[in-house]
Amino acid sequence: MSDIRGHLTTIGLAAGAIHSEMFGALPAINPGVVDTGVRTPPHLPAGEPGPGPSITFARSGLTVNWSPAYGSILELAEACDVPTRFSCRSGVCHVCVTGVVAGATRYVHAPLEEPDVGEVLICSAAPESDVVLDL
Ligand code: FES
């Protein structure tokens, strides 16, 4: 899509007249992580399934049970190779903000400022119930 957008603007179409919608996962933002160019598709984490509520990463097509062995939903997503976006990992920057499609989460570390209703900072949250995330 970005290539097509580039070609269209190159031939003179106004950028504001080009509309697109992406249905896959957003590109990852993982500062400090070296990109090897090899992408592993999302998968269940290693080991036994957790005893907690289910977390569905909707864009990745993966449902996983929560385990308290993970410090946050972000850590679980990383264990599953679900594309993630983060920076501070402490509830400050909001880079990890993710839409909550269904279910409820709770903060294990209080964020500096809560995101909008219907969003969660996955670096600082755990599921309160079965949850479906736009991730
Ligand atoms: S990574 Fe900064 S708020 Fe989650």
Side-chain angles (χ1 to χ4, degrees):
M1 283 195 303
S2 62
D3 286 349
I4 295 293
R5 175 180 292 275
H7 292 307
L8 291 173
T9 54
T10 299
I11 63 171
L13 201 63
I18 303 169
H19 304 280
S20 60
E21 186 172 350
M22 185 168 64
F23 293 96
L26 294 172
I29 298 175
N30 304 143
V33 177
V34 178
D35 186 1
T36 62
V38 179
R39 299 254 185 262
T40 304
H43 56 82
L44 294 173
E48 293 293 315
S54 69
I55 300 177
T56 298
F57 300 108
R59 291 179 186 260
S60 300
L62 183 69
T63 299
V64 182
N65 279 84
W66 172 252
S67 167
Y70 298 101
S72 66
I73 295 171
L74 174 61
E75 288 184 16
L76 175 60
E78 290 173 324
C80 299
D81 284 316
V82 169
T84 57
R85 302 163 73 89
F86 66 82
S87 183
C88 71
R89 302 182 73 99
S90 59
V92 175
C93 70
H94 284 220
V95 169
C96 69
V97 70
T98 299
V100 177
V101 178
T105 58
R106 63 181 167 77
Y107 283 105
V108 291
H109 311 287
L112 188 62
E113 185 176 310
E114 291 209 11
D116 291 338
V117 173
E119 296 177 332
V120 63
L121 301 176
I122 61 169
C123 71
S124 303
E128 184 98 309
S129 67
D130 291 349
V131 66
V132 179
L133 298 175
D134 187 19
L135 191 65

